[in-house]
Amino acid sequence: MPTPPLTDTELLRAEIAAAAARLIAEDGVDYGTAKRKAVKQILGNSKVRGNVLPDNSQIEDEVRVYNELFFGDTQPARLLHLRQLAVRLMTELAPFQPHLTGAILNGTAGEHSEIHLQLFAESPKDVEIYLLNKGVDFDVSESNHFKGHNEPVETLSFLWQQEGVHLALYNQDDLRGALKKSPSGRAERADIESVRALLSEENE
């Protein structure tokens, strides 16, 4: 049975997803910013219906396609390097049950990607003191809670091995709901053993 042609809405959604993916791969912008800029590029100041906007999983798929087309000779090595660094850092932070998330986990990491970890501790102060004792100079900001709570979580950012690192600090109780997969079926975070397994697959 032939595949039905895409509707105008589906075509527009795909165009926005592709434009957003280019911004992410080329400039390292976050998904929300990339989506807004892509809409403005394509539609100008026109009002956008919600059903036109692609979801993050569709944009992620487009980032994979873009990487294969334009960065196929460099992106795999960059991804491997970042995953190896992430494992080393997660080993250092083992007392706080680190979980990798973002582009390094999902395989779309590129030149501008940074290491994003979620830590689960009794108190954010425990992580801060741990880093200070290691001589790490960090900035403090806030990130959205992955569960969509109104309360943001404290985030520590610093340079490590010449790469940007962002540690989102969660309560230990948050870990119980952290390992649910996204609506697309993809894991949104992974512990150190899971990341090591990814590295083993890449070396096979």
Side-chain angles (χ1 to χ4, degrees):
M1 187 174 176
T3 304
L6 295 177
T7 65
D8 289 345
T9 297
E10 289 170 333
L11 287 169
L12 182 55
R13 189 183 301 128
E15 187 179 359
I16 292 170
R22 181 181 60 78
L23 289 165
I24 292 166
E26 294 283 356
D27 302 329
V29 301
D30 63 84
Y31 276 59
T33 302
K35 202 180 296 189
R36 288 192 298 272
K37 287 187 174 182
V39 167
K40 190 166 182 64
Q41 283 178 6
I42 295 165
L43 296 176
N45 295 320
S46 301
K47 192 171 181 180
V48 181
R49 300 191 312 277
N51 66 341
V52 168
L53 295 177
D55 60 22
N56 286 355
S57 64
Q58 184 176 2
I59 295 173
E60 182 184 315
D61 288 339
E62 290 293 336
V63 175
R64 294 179 195 282
V65 171
Y66 195 95
N67 281 337
E68 289 174 7
L69 285 173
F70 298 102
F71 299 114
D73 55 342
T74 59
Q75 191 266 342
R78 172 69 175 159
L79 175 62
L80 176 62
H81 171 69
L82 288 171
R83 282 180 170 172
Q84 289 170 335
L85 279 184
V87 165
R88 287 170 54 191
L89 183 57
M90 293 170 81
T91 302
E92 289 278 342
L93 296 170
F96 308 110
Q97 304 174 82
H99 283 65
L100 180 66
T101 188
I104 299 175
L105 173 61
N106 68 36
T108 62
E111 178 186 354
H112 303 285
S113 297
E114 298 181 320
I115 299 172
H116 289 265
L117 299 180
Q118 294 174 349
L119 306 188
F120 299 85
E122 289 187 9
S123 167
K125 290 295 179 189
D126 294 342
V127 182
E128 292 179 6
I129 292 169
Y130 183 87
L131 293 176
L132 289 171
N133 287 338
K134 295 280 187 181
V136 177
D137 184 19
F138 53 81
D139 294 323
V140 181
S141 61
E142 294 181 337
S143 301
N144 293 329
H145 197 295
F146 64 76
K147 290 183 179 178
H149 293 172
N150 290 329
E151 289 187 12
V153 295
E154 184 175 312
T155 301
L156 310 181
S157 300
F158 53 91
L159 275 176
W160 185 77
Q161 302 290 319
Q162 299 181 316
E163 300 290 349
V165 174
H166 306 279
L167 308 179
L169 310 183
Y170 289 87
N171 295 323
Q172 287 183 329
D173 289 345
D174 287 321
L175 184 57
R176 285 180 296 185
L179 301 182
K180 294 179 180 176
K181 293 187 176 180
S182 69
S184 65
R186 294 168 178 160
E188 295 189 330
R189 55 196 55 81
D191 62 14
I192 189 168
E193 293 306 323
S194 299
V195 182
R196 283 178 175 147
L198 287 175
L199 287 172
S200 297
E201 291 172 9
E202 292 173 350
N203 291 328
E204 288 178 357

